[in-house]
C-alpha cells in the first residue's frame, strides 16, 4: 500500500511537471507566431468564445474552475474527467493565439489538480485524495512559474485560511515543498525559461520618508487588486443579467486593442518587459486599461486565468507610482508585480516568497509592510471567491 502511494505521488509530480512545461513553451511559441497578426485574429475572437462556451457546455465543465479545485482540496467532490484539463488547455491556447487578454495559471493549476485528483485511486481516503489535489495544484503553479515556495504558500493560502503546524501537517508541507522544487526543476530542464530580475536595493536610504512612501504604494496596490476583483464581478453580473452584453463587451475589447495597436492583447508580458527594461515606454493609463480589458475577457467566459495580467497590471502601476513619488522605478515595479496579484487573490504571505524567487532576497523585506496591509485591508475580495 505504501509503495503504491509513493509511486502515484512520484508519477503525479513527473506528469504535471512535463505537461506544464510543454504547455508553457507551446503557449509562448504560439504568442510569438501570432502576435504579428493580431489585427486579423482579434476580430475572430467571437468565434473562439463561442467554441469555448460550446465545448464547456458539451462536457459539462462550465461549473469547473479554480473554485471547483479549491473545494475539491477541502471537501469531498466527484473526480474531474480527464477531458476537462485538456479542453481547458486547448481553449486557453486558442484564446492567446487570437490575442485575448487572459492569463495562463488556470491551465497549470487546474491541470495539476486534475492529474493529482485522478491519480489518487478510489480506495484512498478523502484526506489523501485532497492531498493529491493540492499537490497537483502546487506542482502546476511551480512548474509554470518556477517559483516553488510561492507556489506552496499560494495554494495553501487559497484553499485554507490558516496554516496548521501539527506533526502530520509539517510532513505534508515538506512533501509539498519537495514536490514543488522537483516540478520547477524538471520544467526548467525541459526548456521553459523562468522570469527573474535581480533588484538592487543597496543604495536606498531607508528613512521615515521612504517608509511612508512604501506604505502609500502598498495601500494603492491593495486597492488596485480589489478594483480588478470588483470589475470582474461586475462583468460577470452583467452577463448573468443579459447574455447579449457579452458581445458588446467583446466589441469594446477589440476596438480598444485596435486603437492602442494591440498593446493589451494576451498575457501582458510586453508590459512586464517594458516595466523592467524600458520603463519610459509605460503610459499612465496602461494598468487601468489592462485591468478593464482583462476583467472583460475573464468575465465573459474566456479560459486562461488572471495571474500574469495581474503581474503586468502591478508592474505598470508600480512604474507610475515610482515616477510620481520619486522612488526607484525597478523597486516599485517589482513591488507592484507581487502585491497587486496577492491583493486580488487575498493572499498575504505569498507576495513575500514571490519577491524572493522572482526578484531576489534583497527585495523580499520591502514586501513585508505592504503584505501586512493586504491582510488588514482586504478581508473578502478575491478572484477565487
Amino acid at each position: 500500500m505504501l509503495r503504491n502511494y509513493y509511486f502515484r505521488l512520484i508519477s503525479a509530480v513527473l506528469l504535471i511537471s512535463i505537461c506544464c512545461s510543454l504547455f508553457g513553451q507551446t503557449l509562448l511559441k504560439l504568442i510569438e507566431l501570432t502576435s504579428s497578426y493580431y489585427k486579423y485574429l482579434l476580430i475572430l475572437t467571437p468565434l473562439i468564445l463561442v467554441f469555448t462556451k460550446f465545448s464547456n457546455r458539451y462536457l459539462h465543465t462550465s461549473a469547473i474552475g479554480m473554485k471547483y479545485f479549491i473545494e475539491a482540496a477541502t471537501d469531498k467532490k466527484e473526480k474531474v474527467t480527464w477531458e476537462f484539463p485538456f479542453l481547458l488547455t486547448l481553449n486557453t491556447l486558442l484564446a492567446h493565439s487570437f490575442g485575448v487578454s487572459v492569463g495562463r495559471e488556470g491551465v497549470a493549476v487546474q491541470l495539476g489538480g486534475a492529474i493529482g485528483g485522478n491519480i489518487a485511486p478510489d480506495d484512498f481516503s478523502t484526506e489523501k485524495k485532497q492531498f493529491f489535489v493540492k499537490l497537483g495544484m502546487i506542482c502546476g503553479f511551480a512548474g509554470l512559474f518556477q517559483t516553488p515556495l510561492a507556489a506552496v504558500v499560494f495554494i495553501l493560502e487559497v484553499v485554507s485560511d490558516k496554516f496548521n503546524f501539527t506533526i502530520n501537517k509539517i510532513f505534508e508541507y515538506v512533501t509539498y515543498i519537495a514536490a514543488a522544487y522537483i516540478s520547477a526543476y524538471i520544467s526548467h530542464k525541459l526548456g521553459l525559461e523562468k522570469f527573474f530580475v535581480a533588484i538592487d536595493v543597496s543604495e536606498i536610504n531607508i528613512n521615515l520618508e521612504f517608509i511612508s512612501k512604501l506604505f502609500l504604494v502598498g495601500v494603492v496596490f491593495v486597492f488596485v487588486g480589489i478594483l480588478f476583483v470588483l470589475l470582474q464581478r461586475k462583468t460577470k453580473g452583467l452577463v448573468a443579467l443579459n447574455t447579449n452584453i457579452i458581445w458588446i463587451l467583446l466589441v469594446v475589447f477589440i476596438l480598444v486593442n485596435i486603437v492602442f495597436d494591440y498593446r493589451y492583447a494576451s498575457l501582458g508580458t510586453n508590459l512586464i518587459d517594458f516595466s523592467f527594461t524600458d520603463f519610459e515606454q509605460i503610459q499612465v493609463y496602461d494598468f487601468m486599461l489592462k485591468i478593464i480589458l482583462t476583467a472583460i475577457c475573464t468575465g465573459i467566459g474566456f479560459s486562461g486565468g488572471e495571474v500574469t495580467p495581474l503581474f503586468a497590471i502591478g508592474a505598470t502601476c508600480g512604474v507610475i507610482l515610482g515616477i510620481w513619488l520619486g522612488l526607484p522605478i525597478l523597486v516599485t515595479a517589482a513591488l507592484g508585480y507581487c502585491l497587486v496579484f496577492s491583493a486580488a487573490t487575498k493572499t498575504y504571505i505569498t507576495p513575500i516568497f514571490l519577491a524572493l524567487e522572482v526578484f531576489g532576497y534583497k527585495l523580499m523585506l520591502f514586501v513585508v509592510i505592504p503584505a501586512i496591509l493586504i491582510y488588514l485591508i482586504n478581508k473578502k475580495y478575491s478572484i477565487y471567491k
Side-chain angles (χ1 to χ4, degrees):
M1 179 65 181
L2 192 60
R3 181 183 297 178
N4 179 45
Y5 175 81
Y6 284 112
F7 173 77
R8 290 178 182 273
L9 181 68
I10 294 170
S11 299
V13 174
L14 293 176
L15 183 56
I16 293 165
S17 305
I18 294 169
C19 288
C20 288
S21 183
L22 291 176
F23 163 72
Q25 293 179 73
T26 302
L27 177 63
L28 293 176
K29 190 64 177 177
L30 279 174
I31 293 172
E32 180 185 343
L33 292 172
T34 61
S35 58
S36 300
Y37 305 98
Y38 281 161
K39 58 184 174 182
Y40 308 113
L41 296 173
L42 265 172
I43 60 175
L44 299 176
T45 51
L47 297 177
I48 304 302
L49 184 58
V50 169
F51 176 80
T52 299
K53 288 185 172 294
F54 173 78
S55 58
N56 286 339
R57 191 178 300 115
Y58 178 75
L59 288 176
H60 307 289
T61 61
S62 57
I64 297 177
M66 277 294 291
K67 291 181 181 179
Y68 180 96
F69 284 94
I70 292 169
E71 292 173 357
T74 53
D75 302 306
K76 187 175 181 180
K77 289 285 184 182
E78 294 181 2
K79 279 192 173 183
V80 180
T81 63
W82 280 109
E83 291 90 345
F84 162 69
F86 296 106
L87 176 66
L88 174 65
T89 303
L90 173 62
N91 286 338
T92 301
L93 292 174
L94 284 172
H96 284 292
S97 297
F98 285 75
V100 177
S101 180
V102 289
R104 53 186 167 175
E105 90 293 341
V107 170
V109 174
Q110 295 176 57
L111 180 60
I115 291 173
N118 278 282
I119 281 181
D122 293 333
D123 59 354
F124 271 22
S125 66
T126 300
E127 185 178 354
K128 284 185 178 179
K129 290 178 182 177
Q130 292 172 0
F131 165 79
F132 269 83
V133 172
K134 285 184 280 189
L135 179 86
M137 295 168 74
I138 288 168
C139 288
F141 194 97
L144 185 65
F145 293 108
Q146 294 171 34
T147 53
L149 292 176
V152 173
V153 178
F154 172 64
I155 296 302
L156 293 179
E157 282 195 287
V158 166
V159 302
S160 176
D161 291 331
K162 60 182 179 180
F163 290 89
N164 187 341
F165 291 102
T166 62
I167 296 297
N168 289 339
K169 280 295 181 181
I170 291 175
F171 177 76
E172 184 179 311
Y173 296 156
V174 170
T175 305
Y176 290 146
I177 293 171
Y181 269 100
I182 292 170
S183 182
Y185 177 81
I186 292 174
S187 177
H188 182 72
K189 285 298 180 182
L190 289 175
L192 184 61
E193 294 297 321
K194 176 186 177 180
F195 175 71
F196 180 83
V197 178
I199 303 294
D200 184 12
V201 298
S202 58
E203 296 184 4
I204 295 178
N205 183 19
I206 303 176
N207 51 29
L208 183 59
E209 180 185 2
F210 175 80
I211 294 174
S212 300
K213 290 180 178 179
L214 182 64
F215 184 91
L216 176 60
V217 298
V219 171
V220 174
F221 290 144
V222 175
F223 283 103
V224 169
I226 292 174
L227 175 63
F228 177 82
V229 177
L230 292 175
L231 286 177
Q232 187 186 64
R233 288 183 182 179
K234 184 65 175 178
T235 302
K236 291 179 178 179
L238 290 172
V239 170
L241 289 174
N242 187 345
T243 55
N244 291 326
I245 291 176
I246 290 175
W247 311 113
I248 298 174
L249 293 173
L250 188 51
V251 169
V252 170
F253 166 74
I254 294 170
L255 291 177
V256 171
N257 268 286
I258 291 173
V259 169
F260 289 94
D261 198 25
Y262 317 101
R263 185 177 179 88
Y264 308 106
S266 194
L267 290 168
T269 49
N270 58 321
L271 298 176
I272 295 173
D273 289 340
F274 286 149
S275 298
F276 294 102
T277 61
D278 190 9
F279 65 83
E280 292 180 352
Q281 297 287 332
I282 297 299
Q283 304 298 322
V284 173
Y285 49 77
D286 278 338
F287 79 96
M288 273 306 306
L289 287 179
K290 191 63 176 175
I291 287 175
I292 294 168
L293 298 182
T294 306
I296 286 175
C297 290
T298 55
I300 64 178
F302 282 109
S303 297
E306 302 92 348
V307 168
T308 304
L310 284 168
F311 290 157
I313 291 164
T316 51
C317 180
V319 168
I320 300 305
L321 289 175
I323 293 171
W324 285 351
L325 296 174
L327 293 170
I329 305 299
L330 289 180
V331 171
T332 53
L335 291 175
Y337 181 101
C338 300
L339 294 163
V340 170
F341 150 70
S342 293
T345 55
K346 206 177 73 166
T347 53
Y348 318 118
I349 306 174
T350 300
I352 299 172
F353 287 101
L354 186 64
L356 169 67
E357 294 180 307
V358 177
F359 301 109
Y361 71 92
K362 292 181 180 179
L363 185 80
M364 182 176 67
L365 295 177
F366 290 90
V367 180
V368 174
I369 292 177
I372 293 172
L373 291 174
I374 296 175
Y375 175 78
L376 294 174
I377 297 172
N378 186 10
K379 296 295 185 181
K380 61 179 180 178
Y381 297 105
S382 170
I383 56 177
Y384 300 135
K385 294 181 181 179

